[in-house]
């Protein structure tokens, strides 16, 4: 089989690229190892804890033992299903702060400043503001990706925003608009009570065109002849097969599998490849390096009134939620329940937010295990810009062997101070009058955990990944020895090969990564098609005027 373009991975970026290339009349083949996303476990937003814990939908990666986290191996779920991680994630929609993308440009990703990427964020989305405010000039109105807000009818959800305001922080009507800093409604890729994944938004419309096809297979390596990518070798139904690309091969396989695939194909650090008996085609030291992620801790409180989602945490309650969603797409199952958010600065002198909050009106683990004690609520909180850097490396030249993932979490001394600040600021918010009618005792880490040493121990025991790995094939100048792709997403050193997914992020963005990953796919598609990028929109975000001297 052959096509103009062969895309490896039907995830957030890959689906967007397939849609835009097929729309332009190019022939496209998408290779995806995962299967169907049909069924309530994926499509029902309230069931979000299930798919990322199911081997059917998740690659099942785990980090190597993390030295600074009591040698814990941290779960690193990645979607093994059409839609990729957009089909198993928490559906939270965050573009990132404008300064994140300006930083990308400063780091060598020319043409990826906020002014450059804002038109692509607008092109990709249809925004439903739900009457909560925001500036429509910053948002899209006719894109494939529906972005909505929850009903926010739970008393705890509204109390969280009010408590943030009482603590002295601003309220924002749209953190994806001019003002990220503050507390306000959270946005999600949910539409009419259904997960609006990249598969629903982009892939299914693309596959309706005759010029776009999807093949289920396991990509083993990129076929490179005379320094030119010509196709992809896949394993399918027990046989090896080559899918040929007459124009380009595009890698969009995730920040874990994309560097792995490059290295298996001879693109990466020469010594590492030689140690695994792989012929070196392009010596690129940056492949697999620069791995970044967000860590978070759940600050959990018991509730003294029966106002949390715990009322549904029994067999009749779950049956009611499921039946209501199945029959009319409404009720608790139609929301991811992350309906209020916060972005704040940890200290004076920090220009824009470096702490994120997800609020949940239930005390529960991400694997769906509810906290002991019944009714409760929690804030997921963590720093946005850790200085820790890790790597994805090969364990074997056998494509079926998972790579080694080392995040080096908490390896920088400032990581500890930042996390302690996160916990203390969260406690202050939960102590505000807005929570007085509801808040009981602190479940985790526990009110008795107060000193730096005690907080550090809790952090070691309880922090978890927010599942935002990125940066392992970073974008930069073509003459930057650590860069893997240039600003047009071309893999440096090999012709007719591009890479576009969260791997290319020079630095992690504020918040969840699905939105910027899709944006990368949208913008990369224009580069692939040789089109002039959308015209930059010069606009300035709101920056707290007192940021130099005040924390809030």
């Amino acid at each position: 089989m052959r096509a103009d373009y062969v895309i490896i991975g039907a995830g957030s970026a890959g689906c967007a690229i397939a849609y835009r290339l097929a729309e332009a009349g190019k022939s496209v083949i998408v290779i995806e190892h995962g299967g169907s996303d049909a069924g309530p476990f994926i499509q029902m937003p309230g069931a979000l804890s299930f798919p990322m814990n199911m081997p059917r939908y998740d690659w099942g990666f785990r980090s190597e033992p993390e030295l600074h986290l009591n040698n814990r191996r941290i779960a690193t779920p990645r979607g093994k299903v059409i839609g990729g991680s957009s089909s198993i994630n928490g559906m939270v929609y965050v573009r990132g702060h404008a300064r994140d993308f300006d930083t990308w440009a400063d780091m060598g990703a020319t043409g990826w400043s906020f002014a450059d990427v804002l038109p692509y964020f607008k092109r990709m989305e249809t925004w439903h503001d739900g009457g909560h405010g925001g500036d429509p000039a910053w948002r899209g109105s006719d894109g494939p990706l529906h972005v909505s807000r929850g009903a926010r009818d739970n008393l705890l959800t509204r109390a969280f925003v009010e408590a943030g305001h009482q603590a002295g922080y601003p309220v924002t009507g749209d953190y994806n608009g001019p003002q990220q800093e503050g507390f306000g409604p959270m946005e999600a890729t949910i539409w009419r009570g259904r997960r609006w994944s990249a598969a629903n938004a982009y892939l299914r419309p693309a596959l309706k065109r005759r010029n776009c096809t999807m093949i289920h297979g396991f990509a083993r390596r990129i076929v490179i002849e005379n320094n030119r990518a010509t196709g992809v070798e896949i394993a399918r139904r027990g046989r090896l097969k080559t899918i040929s690309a007459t124009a380009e091969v595009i890698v969009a396989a995730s920040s874990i599998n994309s560097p792995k695939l490059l290295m298996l194909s001879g693109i990466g650090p020469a010594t590492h490849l030689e140690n695994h008996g792989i012929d070196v085609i392009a010596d690129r030291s940056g492949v697999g390096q620069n791995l970044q992620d967000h860590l978070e801790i759940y600050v959990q409180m018991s509730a003294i009134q029966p106002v949390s989602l715990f009322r549904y945490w029994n067999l009749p309650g779950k049956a009611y939620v499921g039946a209501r969603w199945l029959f009319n797409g409404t009720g608790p199952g139609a929301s991811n329940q992350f309906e209020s958010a916060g972005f704040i600065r940890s200290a004076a002198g920090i220009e824009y937010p470096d702490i994120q909050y997800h609020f949940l009106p239930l005390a529960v683990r991400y694997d769906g295990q509810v906290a002991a004690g019944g009714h409760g609520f929690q804030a997921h909180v963590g720093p946005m810009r850790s200085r820790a850097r890790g790597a994805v490396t090969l364990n074997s030249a056998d494509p079926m062997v998972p790579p080694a993932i080392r995040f080096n979490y908490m390896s920088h001394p400032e990581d500890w101070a930042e996390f302690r600040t996160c916990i203390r600021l969260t406690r202050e918010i939960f102590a505000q009058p807005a929570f007085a009618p509801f808040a009981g005792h602190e479940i985790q880490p526990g009110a008795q955990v107060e000193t730096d040493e005690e907080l550090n121990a809790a952090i070691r025991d309880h922090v978890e990944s927010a599942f935002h790995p990125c940066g392992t094939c970073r974008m930069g100048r073509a003459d930057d020895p650590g860069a893997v792709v240039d600003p047009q997403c071309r893999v440096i050193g090999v012709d007719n090969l591009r890479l576009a997914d969260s791997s290319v992020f020079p630095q992690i963005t504020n918040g969840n990564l699905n939105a910027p990953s899709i944006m990368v796919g949208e913008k990369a598609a224009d580069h692939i098609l040789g089109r002039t990028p959308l015209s930059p929109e010069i606009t300035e975000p709101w920056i707290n005027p007192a940021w130099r001297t005040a924390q809030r």
Side-chain angles (χ1 to χ4, degrees):
M1 295 182 69
R2 68 178 55 242
D4 297 333
Y5 296 93
V6 176
I7 301 171
I8 306 170
S12 297
C15 289
I17 295 169
Y19 178 92
R20 295 301 179 188
L21 296 186
E23 179 184 56
K26 305 299 182 182
S27 61
V28 179
I29 294 175
V30 181
I31 300 169
E32 172 56 47
H33 182 48
S36 171
D37 62 345
F41 287 126
I42 282 181
Q43 299 302 331
M44 183 169 75
L48 64 89
S49 66
F50 289 98
M52 70 172 56
N53 291 290
M54 298 175 69
R56 174 179 177 182
Y57 301 127
D58 172 31
W59 283 89
F61 295 131
R62 301 185 76 82
S63 75
E64 297 299 301
E66 288 289 339
L67 177 63
H68 302 283
L69 299 181
N70 293 332
N71 287 315
R72 287 192 288 143
R73 300 190 69 191
I74 305 299
T76 311
R78 292 291 86 193
K80 187 181 66 176
V81 58
I82 63 168
S85 295
S86 76
S87 289
I88 69 167
N89 67 3
M91 291 155 281
V92 173
Y93 183 84
V94 183
R95 287 174 167 179
H97 195 280
R99 289 289 184 262
D100 292 327
F101 303 101
D102 294 340
T103 299
W104 285 15
D106 292 343
M107 295 174 72
T110 306
W112 291 79
S113 71
F114 184 66
D116 298 309
V117 303
L118 178 58
Y120 290 95
F121 279 120
K122 292 170 69 172
R123 183 172 84 174
M124 73 194 226
E125 70 180 17
T126 293
W127 180 55
H128 306 274
D129 73 347
H132 292 294
D135 185 351
W138 282 59
R139 307 305 300 266
S141 59
D142 58 359
L145 190 73
H146 288 281
V147 179
S148 67
R149 299 175 175 191
R152 302 179 76 217
D153 53 9
N154 185 281
L155 294 174
L156 294 169
T157 299
R158 297 199 297 272
F160 182 67
V161 175
E162 179 59 24
H165 184 55
Q166 291 170 346
Y169 298 102
V171 172
T172 178
D174 181 12
Y175 63 74
N176 283 315
Q179 182 181 335
Q180 185 187 73
E181 185 171 340
F183 288 74
M186 185 159 261
E187 299 195 330
T189 48
I190 297 172
W191 177 233
R192 294 177 176 170
R194 184 184 182 195
R195 177 192 291 270
W196 205 248
S197 65
N200 287 330
Y202 288 98
L203 186 62
R204 285 190 169 85
L207 292 175
K208 291 179 180 178
R209 298 177 180 271
R210 293 184 178 180
N211 55 330
C212 185
T213 305
M214 183 172 64
I215 293 176
H216 292 281
F218 180 83
R220 293 171 51 87
R221 67 182 181 95
I222 302 155
V223 179
I224 300 172
E225 300 172 356
N226 299 319
N227 217 56
R228 176 180 180 273
T230 61
V232 182
E233 179 186 274
I234 67 170
R236 186 169 187 249
R237 296 172 183 168
R239 296 183 179 182
L240 299 184
K241 185 174 185 176
T242 297
I243 310 299
S244 298
T246 58
E248 292 184 351
V249 173
I250 302 158
V251 182
S254 84
S255 56
I256 307 300
N257 278 324
S258 288
K260 173 193 171 188
L261 192 56
L262 289 190
M263 288 185 281
L264 291 173
S265 306
I267 305 164
T271 301
H272 182 57
L273 302 187
E274 289 165 351
N275 288 342
H276 288 285
I278 298 171
D279 293 335
V280 178
I281 292 174
D283 180 7
R284 303 304 305 176
S285 62
V287 175
Q289 303 300 304
N290 194 48
L291 175 62
Q292 299 164 62
D293 191 17
H294 290 140
L295 279 177
E296 61 185 13
I297 193 166
Y298 304 170
V299 179
Q300 298 179 322
M301 302 290 294
S302 67
I304 57 177
Q305 292 192 49
V307 291
S308 78
L309 297 175
F310 185 72
R311 74 188 74 169
Y312 303 114
W313 224 258
N314 51 62
L315 192 57
K318 291 180 179 180
Y320 163 78
V321 170
R324 185 173 173 185
W325 181 83
L326 283 169
F327 286 116
N328 58 23
T330 63
S335 171
N336 61 358
Q337 301 304 330
F338 291 116
E339 296 184 350
S340 287
F343 288 92
I344 64 174
R345 293 175 297 109
S346 62
I350 295 173
E351 184 186 20
Y352 66 102
D354 61 338
I355 292 174
Q356 180 187 16
Y357 285 106
H358 300 69
F359 179 77
L360 188 65
L362 180 69
V364 66
R365 295 197 322 227
Y366 223 124
D367 62 5
Q369 296 300 307
V370 72
H375 284 278
F377 53 92
Q378 66 192 37
H380 301 199
V381 62
M384 289 291 94
R385 295 186 290 279
S386 168
R387 295 157 186 80
R389 295 293 181 270
V392 173
T393 54
L394 295 177
N395 273 318
S396 169
D398 180 354
M400 298 305 296
V401 176
I405 304 167
R406 294 178 177 85
F407 287 98
N408 293 325
Y409 289 127
M410 306 301 291
S411 58
H412 195 283
E414 291 190 25
D415 293 339
W416 297 93
E418 289 175 350
F419 247 109
R420 293 193 301 267
T421 296
C422 286
I423 296 170
R424 287 168 171 151
L425 292 176
T426 306
R427 286 172 165 170
E428 182 185 10
I429 291 165
F430 283 159
Q432 296 301 313
F435 277 114
F438 312 116
H441 69 279
E442 183 176 299
I443 301 170
Q444 181 180 286
Q448 75 282 0
V449 178
E450 293 183 341
T451 68
D452 285 0
E453 292 75 16
E454 289 167 344
L455 287 170
N456 286 349
I459 290 164
R460 274 190 291 270
D461 287 340
H462 297 300
V463 293
E464 297 289 347
S465 171
F467 313 134
H468 302 161
C470 65
T472 50
C473 297
R474 74 169 174 85
M475 182 186 297
R477 298 181 307 275
D479 62 355
D480 180 347
V484 178
V485 301
D486 70 10
Q488 295 188 50
C489 297
R490 296 176 296 204
V491 175
I492 301 166
V494 179
D495 296 332
N496 294 31
L497 180 62
R498 306 230 191 196
L499 192 153
D501 58 23
S502 64
S503 303
V504 308
F505 293 12
Q507 178 175 285
I508 197 166
T509 54
N510 267 18
N512 311 64
L513 300 194
N514 189 43
S517 297
I518 294 174
M519 180 278 293
V520 165
E522 283 271 11
K523 191 171 188 294
D526 275 0
H527 292 304
I528 293 163
L529 291 166
R531 292 175 171 169
T532 301
L534 299 178
S535 297
E537 296 187 27
I538 308 298
T539 186
E540 274 296 309
W542 183 87
I543 300 293
N544 193 312
W547 70 267
R548 290 180 177 85
T549 57
Q551 182 259 330
R552 66 190 86 172

